[in-house]
Amino acid sequence: MRKVGIISFAGIVGTGLLLRYTIVPDEEKMLRSLSPETRAIYERNKVQRREQHDKIMEQMIESAKSDQPIWKKMSENKGVNIKNEKQADPAPTPQNTPIFTAPLATAAAVSSETADALATQNPALLSMLQGRLGSLIGAPSGYIESLPKAVRERVDGLRCLQQQHTDIDKKLHLEIFELEKKYSELYAPLYARRTEIVQGAAEPTDAEKAEGAKIAEAEKEDAEVESGITEVPEDGEDAEEATGIPEFWLTALRNHPQLAELITDRDEGAIKFLRDIRLVYLSDKPGFKLEFEFAENPYFSNSVLSKTYVYEQSDVAGDLEFGSAQGTEIDWKPENDLSVTVETKKQRHKTSNRTRVVKKTVPAETFFSFFATVEEPDSDDDSELADETRDRIELDYELAEEFKEKIVPCAVDWFTGKALAYEGLDEEEYDDEFMDDYYEDEDDDDEDDDEDDDDVDDMSRSAKDAAEPPQCKNQ
């Protein structure tokens, strides 16, 4: 019985070794699959890396025994290029040189030309190497652990100093944020005055108009600044009825390239009721709130739509990073809900040849999706949907920063178009793909209807579009 057990165990071990030999390629097999040129580069770099590593380790050991600084001791060795002078085949540094010379690690040093050759000759091998190397990114090479104890203790001392530096950085960034809050109180009277003039609650003083006229005249002389304002005659009914600055915020947002991609034709009717955009700093924690004040309108009952952003402090650099965001739930009025569209389809039955009209409500692209609260996916969720959600959250933070740093402080410059010049943005040069991934495509086809019916005609329209003609843009 014991013999049978030993034989069975030996058979299992032998089978495992056979599988490993046939499935897992060793260094010799990998080299045979490479071209002669690639194999020569591999062998040459392998020898150079081993020689370089041995020289560095010898100098480290000698330096630990010596009273001289490590840089001075190592500089005495002509074979070690501590000045980082350009060489024909530069040897790797200790940071990217492992103690062992495993095939997968050494393959990482192959040039891009060699990678192209690999992709042409053996795509499967290249894919395997990339996968293995990807798992090694960020992993310790073992270099620090191989240093003498005295050297490792000096490195630990530097780590302590670096942590103290980070602690100071944290205080610096918090104080900068508090300074922003302090100066926001100084800006507040200017923003309040701007709101009064835009809404028509007050008129600019003679001094304000005179100073502004000088600025406008200087801008006209600057060929790079093209105003977005079209001059109209001062007389007429429109001039008498106009109060404040009509469509001020709509024009300002439309002139911002990223936001212009978000604003649809349907959104314009609602944004015309936008009275003010305010930036409010949080008092209890680092963060801020964006408040969008609307006049009474036929689209939603909310008078203020807001979104709150909370910062988190980085443990690495100490700077403030976006941590979370909380939006407002919009109370849409059923007849003018911009967040959905009504798809109307005419379908013909296969057998009876009778037609019917099917209406279906589907999510719509709209600027007001900005106010939605998007939950962060779990860190271990690597699905495609999770990646799209993370991209959307990242873009949301970028838009929040645009409102905070550019739109609110410089609204009149975005209204006139001046901001496009000093921001270095040009319509012909700007990347239109910036907002491509903000909205995810929705495909909610009714499979049950498709089994029995043939689609004859597809058309999409909103309830608002059906009730009134499209409005003209005044831009």
Side-chain angles (χ1 to χ4, degrees):
M1 190 69 181
R2 188 173 180 183
K3 275 186 177 182
V4 174
I6 295 174
I7 293 173
S8 300
F9 176 76
I12 293 173
V13 173
T15 302
L17 293 175
L18 179 61
L19 289 174
R20 185 183 185 281
Y21 176 79
T22 56
I23 296 175
V24 181
D26 56 13
E27 182 176 4
E28 182 179 354
K29 288 182 179 179
M30 188 189 74
L31 288 176
R32 285 202 301 267
S33 66
L34 301 178
S35 66
E37 295 80 6
T38 305
R39 193 180 305 119
I41 295 174
Y42 173 87
E43 293 293 347
R44 183 172 66 253
N45 290 344
K46 179 179 177 180
V47 173
Q48 289 180 348
R49 278 189 293 275
R50 171 52 65 184
E51 293 176 352
Q52 185 72 6
H53 179 269
D54 292 343
K55 290 178 181 179
I56 292 175
M57 292 306 302
E58 291 175 3
Q59 295 302 316
M60 288 290 185
I61 295 174
E62 292 180 9
S63 176
K65 299 177 181 178
S66 173
D67 295 333
Q68 296 180 350
I70 186 171
W71 62 267
K72 185 174 182 181
K73 188 67 179 176
M74 292 186 68
S75 64
E76 297 174 357
N77 190 336
K78 303 294 184 179
V80 180
N81 183 21
I82 64 171
K83 295 183 179 179
N84 197 26
E85 296 176 350
K86 188 174 181 181
Q87 299 176 343
D89 289 315
T93 64
Q95 286 75 10
N96 61 21
T97 304
I99 299 178
F100 55 89
T101 55
L104 292 176
T106 53
V110 181
S111 64
S112 60
E113 293 81 1
T114 304
D116 293 338
L118 277 174
T120 304
Q121 299 172 15
N122 197 333
L125 177 61
L126 179 61
S127 177
M128 181 194 72
L129 291 175
Q130 290 175 339
R132 293 287 187 88
L133 291 174
S135 64
L136 296 177
I137 295 177
S141 65
Y143 168 71
I144 299 299
E145 290 75 8
S146 68
L147 296 176
K149 181 180 178 182
V151 177
R152 293 200 306 271
E153 290 176 348
R154 294 166 193 157
V155 174
D156 290 338
L158 296 183
R159 287 193 177 110
C160 177
L161 296 177
Q162 185 62 49
Q163 183 58 48
Q164 295 176 22
H165 187 285
T166 301
D167 293 340
I168 296 175
D169 277 343
K170 289 182 177 180
K171 295 179 181 179
L172 170 64
H173 289 291
L174 287 177
E175 289 186 12
I176 291 175
F177 180 75
E178 291 299 323
L179 195 61
E180 285 185 13
K181 292 172 63 176
K182 173 184 176 182
Y183 274 83
S184 69
E185 298 177 358
L186 301 178
Y187 297 139
L190 303 178
Y191 296 154
R193 179 64 175 160
R194 179 180 68 188
T195 301
E196 292 178 348
I197 296 175
V198 169
Q199 296 181 4
E203 293 293 334
T205 64
D206 293 339
E208 290 171 339
K209 290 187 286 187
E211 184 64 25
K214 292 180 181 179
I215 297 173
E217 189 64 29
E219 292 175 0
K220 288 181 180 180
E221 297 176 359
D222 188 349
E224 295 184 358
V225 178
E226 297 182 2
S227 175
I229 301 176
T230 302
E231 296 185 1
V232 297
E234 296 182 359
D235 54 350
E237 296 181 359
D238 292 341
E240 294 177 359
E241 296 177 358
T243 58
I245 304 178
E247 302 181 13
F248 175 82
W249 287 105
L250 173 60
T251 305
L253 298 183
R254 270 296 194 185
N255 281 337
H256 190 283
Q258 293 101 313
L259 296 173
E261 292 289 334
L262 284 176
I263 300 173
T264 66
D265 292 341
R266 299 174 62 203
D267 293 331
E268 289 189 1
I271 299 178
K272 287 179 181 179
F273 291 91
L274 181 58
R275 294 166 57 88
D276 193 21
I277 303 178
R278 295 186 293 269
L279 171 65
V280 181
Y281 285 90
L282 304 182
S283 59
D284 56 339
K285 50 191 171 184
F288 62 93
K289 178 190 293 186
L290 295 171
E291 295 182 342
F292 295 70
E293 179 186 345
F294 286 85
E296 186 176 353
N297 62 82
Y299 296 92
F300 45 82
S301 57
N302 310 68
S303 60
V304 176
L305 301 179
S306 65
K307 194 155 191 181
T308 303
Y309 295 88
V310 178
Y311 288 128
E312 292 180 353
Q313 194 160 27
S314 169
D315 292 332
V316 178
D319 52 348
L320 297 177
E321 303 172 344
F322 284 101
S324 62
Q326 184 71 34
T328 300
E329 183 176 354
I330 302 177
D331 186 12
W332 293 104
K333 296 180 180 179
E335 64 277 11
N336 287 324
D337 188 347
L338 301 178
S339 65
V340 297
T341 57
V342 178
E343 285 189 354
T344 305
K345 296 183 179 181
K346 287 183 180 180
Q347 297 177 334
R348 189 185 305 277
H349 199 275
K350 293 180 180 180
T351 57
S352 65
N353 206 32
R354 298 174 62 181
T355 61
R356 68 173 180 176
V357 177
V358 178
K359 294 184 177 181
K360 182 172 59 175
T361 301
V362 297
E365 294 184 357
T366 174
F367 163 79
F368 292 93
S369 296
F370 172 75
F371 297 99
T373 301
V374 183
E375 298 295 335
E376 180 80 27
D378 294 335
S379 58
D380 56 351
D381 188 352
D382 57 356
S383 65
E384 183 177 353
L385 177 60
D387 291 339
E388 292 176 355
T389 302
R390 294 187 185 97
D391 291 341
R392 181 176 178 179
I393 292 175
E394 181 179 355
L395 182 56
D396 178 66
Y397 291 156
E398 292 178 7
L399 291 175
E401 195 70 13
E402 290 293 306
F403 276 111
K404 175 178 176 287
E405 299 294 337
K406 298 178 181 179
I407 300 295
V408 173
C410 308
V412 68
D413 289 342
W414 289 105
F415 176 78
T416 62
K418 176 183 177 181
L420 293 172
Y422 64 68
E423 287 289 339
L425 302 176
D426 184 84
E427 290 186 359
E428 295 180 356
E429 298 178 358
Y430 200 84
D431 185 4
D432 292 333
E433 297 180 358
F434 181 86
M435 302 298 297
D436 284 352
D437 297 329
Y438 188 80
Y439 299 105
E440 63 182 47
D441 295 333
E442 298 290 342
D443 186 9
D444 298 324
D445 293 335
D446 191 340
E447 296 180 358
D448 294 336
D449 288 341
D450 291 343
E451 291 177 357
D452 299 331
D453 304 324
D454 291 332
D455 292 341
V456 177
D457 182 32
D458 291 348
M459 53 185 176
S460 176
R461 60 196 178 108
S462 66
K464 176 178 180 295
D465 292 337
E468 60 183 37
Q471 299 177 355
C472 297
K473 301 179 187 176
N474 184 20
Q475 306 242 0

